[in-house]
Amino acid sequence: MKGYLAFPPLSSAPKVPLQLSETDPTSACTTWSNQPQGASQSEDSGDLEEKLEGERRRRREQERALSERSEVEWVRAGGVLRDASGRRDRVRTERIRQELQLQDMEGQRIVRWEASETRWRTIQSSPAPITFVDFPWPLAEHVSSRDLNSLTRRAISNFLFESLAVRGNATTKRERIRSALLRWHPDKISVLLSRVVSDDLELVREGIHVVFGILKSLQVAERTGVL
């Protein structure tokens, strides 16, 4: 007798439908797609035009600056400018020529002041003996002889104040006088005096006395408004 294997009948389990997410797969682009494209393009166009205008403005400024430099160099070399019609523009030429002269004068004043300050720093940092000629007297020109006659009120005041007239300077006469008084005070300058050679010691001491007296008189004049 043949045997048979009995299997339970296959159950017909209900098919569960695949549940898709309720989120619309196109929703990720919803924010972008809902933006009005015309407004976005208009903004981009406006930004581009603003950028181009800025570049054009910078280019015009560079060209104008280059043209002005060329004119200045031409006048400096002795040339005469011409207007749009080709006629000689003497007014503009003279204006540039005067500006160049003023710049040269201001530059010379700054150079003289800075040279004096350099002499002070050099002589303070050096241990070498000092002579009357070596001393950094407050004068536009470096002294070349052992002579106190060059230490006049006019010469000292002109040197102290000439660089104050340079455009852009922020130092006042009062401040310049005060700093000079501190520098030339007998107690402050005694360190330099101790290094003066014996042959020039009395002459340098007398010169310091003259300079300090002139500075005091300038201070009084500045305070009373006479300066």
Side-chain angles (χ1 to χ4, degrees):
M1 179 177 181
K2 295 182 180 180
Y4 295 90
L5 295 178
F7 294 94
L10 295 176
S11 60
S12 57
K15 295 182 179 180
V16 180
L18 180 63
Q19 297 293 324
L20 298 177
S21 172
E22 294 181 359
T23 304
D24 188 348
T26 61
S27 63
C29 303
T30 301
T31 303
W32 178 84
S33 62
N34 287 340
Q35 291 291 331
Q37 296 183 4
S40 177
Q41 293 175 353
S42 177
E43 292 176 359
D44 292 343
S45 177
D47 293 342
L48 178 59
E49 180 60 30
E50 183 178 352
K51 182 179 179 181
L52 292 175
E53 177 58 29
E55 292 177 353
R56 287 192 292 266
R57 184 166 54 251
R58 284 191 295 271
R59 187 163 54 249
R60 288 194 299 269
E61 292 173 354
Q62 292 173 353
E63 292 173 352
R64 181 165 54 251
L66 179 61
S67 175
E68 291 175 354
R69 286 197 298 270
S70 299
E71 290 181 346
V72 168
E73 293 304 320
W74 177 250
V75 174
R76 188 189 295 275
V80 178
L81 300 178
R82 295 183 180 274
D83 59 20
S85 301
R87 295 186 296 267
R88 292 189 174 188
D89 194 337
R90 299 188 181 279
V91 174
R92 194 155 54 97
T93 300
E94 183 60 26
R95 184 170 62 248
I96 293 178
R97 185 175 290 123
Q98 291 178 359
E99 173 63 22
L100 289 173
Q101 292 174 351
L102 179 58
Q103 290 179 8
D104 290 342
M105 181 182 65
E106 290 179 335
Q108 293 170 7
R109 291 178 174 182
I110 293 174
V111 167
R112 284 193 289 267
W113 179 256
E114 291 180 347
S116 175
E117 293 296 289
T118 299
R119 287 198 301 271
W120 265 101
R121 290 191 295 269
T122 301
I123 205 169
Q124 286 177 324
S125 61
S126 173
I130 305 172
T131 66
F132 181 87
V133 175
D134 296 331
F135 221 78
W137 304 108
L139 299 170
E141 300 295 332
H142 190 60
V143 297
S144 57
S145 62
R146 301 170 70 255
D147 186 7
L148 292 176
N149 292 330
S150 57
L151 299 177
T152 64
R153 190 177 191 272
R154 178 187 293 273
I156 291 176
S157 62
N158 285 345
F159 171 69
L160 288 178
F161 302 145
E162 67 171 2
S163 61
L164 301 183
V166 173
R167 291 170 293 184
N169 168 70
T171 304
T172 64
K173 287 185 176 181
R174 177 170 297 187
E175 292 170 340
R176 179 60 55 84
I177 294 172
R178 183 176 182 276
S179 62
L181 280 169
L182 291 174
R183 172 175 285 178
W184 287 92
H185 193 280
D187 293 340
K188 297 287 187 179
I189 209 167
S190 59
V191 176
L192 293 184
L193 197 61
S194 65
R195 290 168 43 204
V196 176
V197 297
S198 58
D199 291 345
D200 290 356
L201 182 57
E202 289 304 318
L203 190 63
V204 170
R205 183 181 283 115
E206 185 177 353
I208 292 173
H209 178 75
V210 170
V211 171
F212 191 73
I214 290 175
L215 293 175
K216 292 293 290 184
S217 69
L218 292 176
Q219 185 181 51
V220 172
E222 194 280 330
R223 287 177 176 174
T224 57
V226 179
L227 187 62

